[in-house]
Amino acid sequence: MEATTLEIYQNGLIDLFRSNANESNRKPMEDYMRNHFSFLGIKSPERKELVKGFFVEHGKPEREWVKPLVTFLYAQPEREFHYAALAVIDVHIKKLDAEWLSFLEKLVTTNSWWDTVDHIAPHHVGAILLREKSSIVDFPDRWIESDNFWLQRSAILFQLKYKEKTDSQKLFSYIEATKGAKEFFIQKAIGWALREYSKTAPDEVLTFIKSTDLAPLSRREGLKHLARRGLAV
């Protein structure tokens, strides 16, 4: 089969999604995202099947296409294309190195909302930094001091899937640095990160929560798993 060109791939995804637009779903999806983005009305299960089928038909995108293809998709107004862009990165994430972190940082700060940031941070940034820990100082350590709360959220969440490989002191230091934030998405991220890590290290998380002046939302979210296990503060 003749290699698919980047342009054909770009146009193919555009045509595929637009031809599967569902007007009846559009407004509820836009409302759910507080009207920050336009939608075509393609729900997540269908969208994933469309992308999967497209990859089967045309082959997975070449690695050298990732940046231009993701940039192209992120420039489209409808949110489904942004999700497709993240799926393109997913294909190659096991082979991406620290040189990609600057590109991922740009994505975090472009079309920013929890739905994309919460995929990029643990699945992309986290995957790379698990392999290349020396880059933490140049990215999450810098992000946690940023005025951009999406970068701060990404720093808090990049270890979300690490389990026993979590650097707890790093996580706790990030939380200490942001625990006084009034921003909902930071308070929620703190609670989510603590809740997830409590599944691996319940005693350590409980001790940290007991000794830290957390926002009520962060504390409540962080304790959810521990409460189900019968632990209490």
Side-chain angles (χ1 to χ4, degrees):
M1 182 179 71
E2 184 178 348
T4 303
T5 67
L6 174 58
E7 185 177 357
I8 291 174
Y9 213 90
Q10 291 172 333
N11 293 337
L13 282 171
I14 293 291
D15 292 343
L16 177 66
F17 275 30
R18 295 202 184 284
S19 65
N20 281 275
N22 186 327
E23 181 62 22
S24 65
N25 292 334
R26 180 186 60 78
K27 190 175 187 307
M29 293 174 75
E30 291 176 351
D31 289 345
Y32 180 68
M33 288 296 170
R34 300 184 185 178
N35 296 296
H36 285 285
F37 307 99
S38 299
F39 277 82
L40 292 168
I42 305 173
K43 292 187 176 181
S44 182
E46 182 185 359
R47 185 194 75 248
K48 290 177 180 178
E49 285 301 313
L50 289 172
V51 171
K52 180 180 178 181
F54 187 86
F55 287 172
V56 170
E57 181 179 356
H58 296 281
K60 292 182 178 179
E62 300 292 338
R63 184 176 174 182
E64 60 265 28
W65 296 356
V66 173
K67 287 183 181 179
L69 181 55
V70 167
T71 300
F72 172 81
L73 292 170
Y74 249 63
Q76 306 308 311
E78 294 88 2
R79 195 60 163 167
E80 288 90 345
F81 292 114
H82 308 163
Y83 299 148
L86 302 188
V88 170
I89 299 173
D90 289 343
V91 170
H92 292 285
I93 190 58
K94 291 182 179 180
K95 296 182 179 180
L96 301 186
D97 59 23
E99 293 183 1
W100 287 78
L101 290 170
S102 293
F103 182 71
L104 294 174
E105 178 177 338
K106 183 177 180 180
L107 293 185
V108 168
T109 57
T110 303
N111 299 322
S112 304
W113 199 241
W114 64 265
D115 52 340
T116 52
V117 170
D118 291 359
H119 187 89
I120 295 167
H123 294 285
H124 298 162
V125 174
I128 292 172
L129 290 176
L130 189 59
R131 299 190 294 267
E132 303 199 33
K133 294 182 175 62
S134 63
S135 293
I136 291 173
V137 68
D138 295 319
F139 291 92
D141 279 359
R142 174 170 54 81
W143 293 348
I144 203 65
E145 302 295 337
S146 172
D147 292 333
N148 185 305
F149 67 81
W150 294 116
L151 288 175
Q152 290 183 314
R153 184 175 171 98
S154 296
I156 295 166
L157 296 179
F158 88 89
Q159 296 190 90
L160 196 67
K161 305 298 181 182
Y162 280 18
K163 298 181 179 180
E164 70 280 354
K165 296 179 181 179
T166 298
D167 180 341
S168 60
Q169 295 310 305
K170 178 71 67 177
L171 173 63
F172 294 157
S173 72
Y174 288 172
I175 293 172
E176 288 281 3
T178 55
K179 65 183 181 181
K182 303 301 182 184
E183 172 56 52
F184 167 84
F185 287 108
I186 295 301
Q187 294 183 10
K188 191 78 170 181
I190 289 171
W192 186 14
L194 289 171
R195 183 174 74 248
E196 195 66 22
Y197 187 47
S198 74
K199 299 173 184 177
T200 299
D203 292 339
E204 188 176 9
V205 171
L206 184 59
T207 297
F208 176 77
I209 292 176
K210 282 182 175 181
S211 62
T212 307
D213 184 20
L214 297 172
L217 173 60
S218 299
R219 182 183 181 87
R220 184 168 62 251
E221 291 292 324
L223 287 171
K224 279 185 176 179
H225 180 73
L226 296 171
R228 285 195 291 269
R229 294 188 55 183
L231 300 173
V233 178

